[in-house]
Amino acid sequence: MGVMSCNRMENRILPYVDGRLKASEMREVDTHLKTCAACFVRVKEFRALSGLLDELPQIEPSDAFDARVRARVAAEPVKRNWWAVFAPSLRVVFAAAMLLLATVWVGSRPGDSVVGPNTEPDQEAVVSDLPVLENFDVLSNFDALSDLPLSQSDDASQQDANPSTQM
């Protein structure tokens, strides 16, 4: 048997005072108390406190106390099993499945080159898009097309399409 430290004694003071320790543990505590004045004083204080608590009058509950406690317990809502917290509803499962599906769909799409303030655009992509960008201005503004004269073939096709003008 080793010598008991004061730290181990802290956890055994109350069981020692109440007489809840095994015989071997009681002897070990007794041996420590003979050599440690601080722990001896603490045990003495706990015994005095225990004695004061024993002198207090014990309050006996009324005859109806048990009936009232049982009625309150019966009125409490039944708590679900703690596993029930992990059983999600159909809506939660559907929402999670849709979120997962959307995440997989977005992740599987081919990545577009992101041009941000700190990145430079790909020169080849800009050069290949240049003719489209030049033609876009013309196509978005039809005023330039209305100023063009009609050609001979256009005049003939319009006359064929509109027989009332031929008379």
Side-chain angles (χ1 to χ4, degrees):
M1 257 198 262
V3 177
M4 181 181 286
S5 67
C6 292
N7 288 338
R8 284 186 58 207
M9 183 64 184
E10 283 289 322
N11 296 330
R12 295 195 178 162
I13 290 177
L14 285 176
Y16 176 78
V17 170
D18 293 340
R20 293 181 284 139
L21 291 179
K22 298 176 187 173
S24 62
E25 292 174 325
M26 290 286 270
R27 284 192 299 273
E28 195 176 349
V29 171
D30 285 334
T31 305
H32 178 78
L33 291 176
K34 289 178 187 173
T35 60
C36 182
C39 289
F40 181 76
V41 169
R42 294 209 58 193
V43 167
K44 199 172 178 183
E45 289 171 349
F46 275 104
R47 281 189 176 145
L49 181 62
S50 180
L52 286 174
L53 291 175
D54 287 341
E55 291 177 9
L56 290 175
Q58 292 186 357
I59 300 171
E60 293 292 327
S62 68
D63 294 336
F65 178 77
D66 285 340
R68 287 196 318 258
V69 169
R70 290 171 203 250
R72 281 189 177 178
V73 169
E76 286 290 319
V78 177
K79 293 184 180 179
R80 296 189 315 177
N81 187 353
W82 67 276
W83 281 105
V85 173
F86 297 111
S89 68
L90 186 58
R91 290 180 189 156
V92 173
V93 170
F94 181 73
M98 290 297 111
L99 181 63
L100 180 65
L101 183 65
T103 303
V104 169
W105 179 71
V106 168
S108 66
R109 291 179 49 202
D112 297 331
S113 62
V114 178
V115 179
N118 296 333
T119 60
E120 294 185 22
D122 185 16
Q123 292 296 330
E124 292 178 22
V126 171
V127 170
S128 67
D129 290 340
L130 203 54
V132 174
L133 294 174
E134 289 172 352
N135 292 336
F136 180 74
D137 290 338
V138 173
L139 294 176
S140 63
N141 187 359
F142 295 110
D143 293 340
L145 296 176
S146 64
D147 294 340
L148 294 175
L150 292 175
S151 65
Q152 293 290 336
S153 62
D154 288 341
D155 287 340
S157 65
Q158 276 187 354
Q159 288 176 358
D160 292 340
N162 196 355
S164 62
T165 57
Q166 291 176 350
M167 291 188 226

